[in-house]
Amino acid sequence: MLGNHDAYLLPKAEIMALTGQQRYHAIENEEAMLIFLDTSKEMNRSDWGGEMDAERLEWLKAQLDKSGNKPVFIFAHHPVYDTTTHSTMEKMSIDPQIDMLDVLNRKEGHGFYFCGHNHMNSIVQKDG
C-alpha cells in the first residue's frame, strides 16, 4: 500500500515493478475479506491528498458486493473525507468530491477502514 511520500520520486508502475506490490487487491477466505487500496497521487509533491479513479471505485464496489455478510477490512493510506481527525482539512483525505461513503455504505454487515495519512489516533463509528 503506497503512501503519498512513496509516490513522489518514481512513477507507480516502476514502484510496483521494484516492490512486487499491486496498486489494489483483495484477499478473501471463508471468514473475512481484506482489501488494500492505493489512494496516493503519482509524483505530485504539491498535492498530497488522496484520490480514487473510476476503475478502482468500480473494483471496490464489486469487492464489497462480493463480500456479502463477511466482515471487510480495508487498508488505505488516506482517510475518507469527514471521518477521522483532520480529515476535513485540505489534502488530508481522499478528495471530498469522491463520495467514498456512498461506496462504502454498499457493504452489508461489518466493515472496517484503516488509514494513516493524518498521523493521528482517531477511531470513528459511522452508521454501524
Side-chain angles (χ1 to χ4, degrees):
M1 201 173 58
L2 295 175
N4 54 295
H5 296 274
D6 301 318
Y8 281 154
L9 298 176
L10 297 173
K12 288 185 181 183
E14 197 170 329
I15 296 170
M16 300 299 107
L18 289 169
T19 63
Q21 289 185 47
Q22 299 172 30
R23 289 194 58 211
Y24 50 95
H25 68 283
I27 300 171
E28 182 178 17
N29 65 28
E30 56 280 344
E31 296 178 24
M33 179 181 280
L34 306 177
I35 296 176
F36 302 88
L37 294 174
D38 171 18
T39 60
S40 61
K41 294 181 178 173
E42 185 169 45
M43 300 180 72
N44 189 339
R45 287 182 175 265
S46 64
D47 186 352
W48 52 87
E51 67 181 3
M52 288 283 290
D53 60 27
E55 178 183 313
R56 277 177 288 168
L57 285 171
E58 289 305 312
W59 177 86
L60 177 58
K61 288 176 187 177
Q63 297 304 309
L64 293 173
D65 292 345
K66 179 181 171 186
S67 71
N69 284 320
K70 287 186 218 177
V72 169
F73 300 86
I74 299 175
F75 299 88
H77 184 70
H78 294 84
V80 174
Y81 181 80
D82 196 20
T83 55
T84 62
T85 301
H86 300 312
S87 66
T88 58
M89 296 171 65
E90 185 178 5
K91 303 175 188 172
M92 297 302 278
S93 69
I94 294 172
D95 186 329
Q97 294 180 3
I98 300 167
D99 194 352
M100 285 294 292
L101 283 179
D102 184 57
V103 173
L104 296 174
N105 284 333
R106 299 172 68 92
K107 174 65 187 129
E108 297 175 19
H110 296 290
F112 304 88
Y113 188 96
F114 300 89
C115 57
H117 180 65
N118 298 349
H119 304 272
M120 299 292 296
N121 290 327
S122 178
I123 299 173
V124 176
Q125 182 173 349
K126 289 235 181 221
D127 302 322

